[in-house]
Amino acid sequence: MLGEVRLTCNRESTCRMAYTLTDPLTPLRNVLRVTGSTALLLGGTMLIFPRLILTEWGAPEVEVNWPLRLAGAFLITLGVYYLLAANERTVGTTATVTCIVGNGLLAVVLLLAYLQQDLANLTPVGLAALLIIFIIALVGAVAPLRYLRAEYRDD
């Protein structure tokens, strides 16, 4: 039945709500999916095209590619983790804290790079992309904070 609440019981006889339309973790799952997809897209771009996209958007030219590729690989790893955590039956504290810290650090790095004029030569397209990534990272860091309260935790 659409929207019905189903409870599943584990060995300790504690009941949990199964993932349905009335799941209270749906907003957190959506945040994990959006930030995971963004991390995969940004990480893939940095891994495969470390210079092409960034120089077209006005980012400063780098002499070596491996730091960008390494950052891209880590973003892909983080994106895969977010997407896998969003599809779990319950979203644990570990996934929530990782989402807060990972997205918070990304937002801080982007903000500091902007404030220190490291990204002053960005084209309007590059500035728009930076702003979108910053907003997604900021939402990904702030939105999961409410799920750290005891009534949402399962572990």
Side-chain angles (χ1 to χ4, degrees):
M1 180 128 224
L2 187 63
E4 81 178 31
V5 176
R6 288 174 281 178
L7 296 176
T8 58
C9 297
N10 60 12
R11 282 180 267 159
E12 294 87 27
S13 297
T14 58
C15 295
R16 301 178 187 169
M17 188 180 332
Y19 179 51
T20 63
L21 292 176
T22 57
D23 183 16
L25 298 175
T26 300
L28 178 61
R29 293 179 197 281
N30 291 337
V31 166
L32 285 169
R33 287 183 184 114
V34 169
T35 57
S37 301
T38 304
L40 282 176
L41 182 65
L42 181 61
T45 302
M46 291 172 70
L47 186 66
I48 298 170
F49 307 112
R51 289 189 188 184
L52 178 67
I53 300 295
L54 296 176
T55 54
E56 284 182 12
W57 289 350
E61 189 79 28
V62 294
E63 296 176 12
V64 292
N65 286 336
W66 73 266
L68 284 175
R69 291 181 193 255
L70 185 64
F74 284 127
L75 280 173
I76 288 173
T77 303
L78 203 56
V80 168
Y81 178 72
Y82 291 160
L83 291 176
L84 290 175
N87 291 325
E88 290 293 320
R89 187 167 52 105
T90 60
V91 179
T93 306
T94 305
T96 307
V97 170
T98 304
C99 186
I100 293 168
V101 172
N103 287 306
L105 289 175
L106 179 61
V108 166
V109 167
L110 292 175
L111 180 65
L112 289 177
Y114 180 76
L115 292 177
Q116 292 175 349
Q117 301 292 323
D118 290 342
L119 305 172
N121 296 331
L122 286 179
T123 63
V125 173
L127 192 58
L130 177 76
L131 185 62
I132 290 170
I133 292 168
F134 174 74
I135 289 172
I136 290 173
L138 194 61
V139 167
V142 173
L145 288 174
R146 67 181 273 217
Y147 294 97
L148 290 177
R149 296 193 327 225
E151 59 262 19
Y152 288 109
R153 285 195 309 211
D154 191 37
D155 44 9

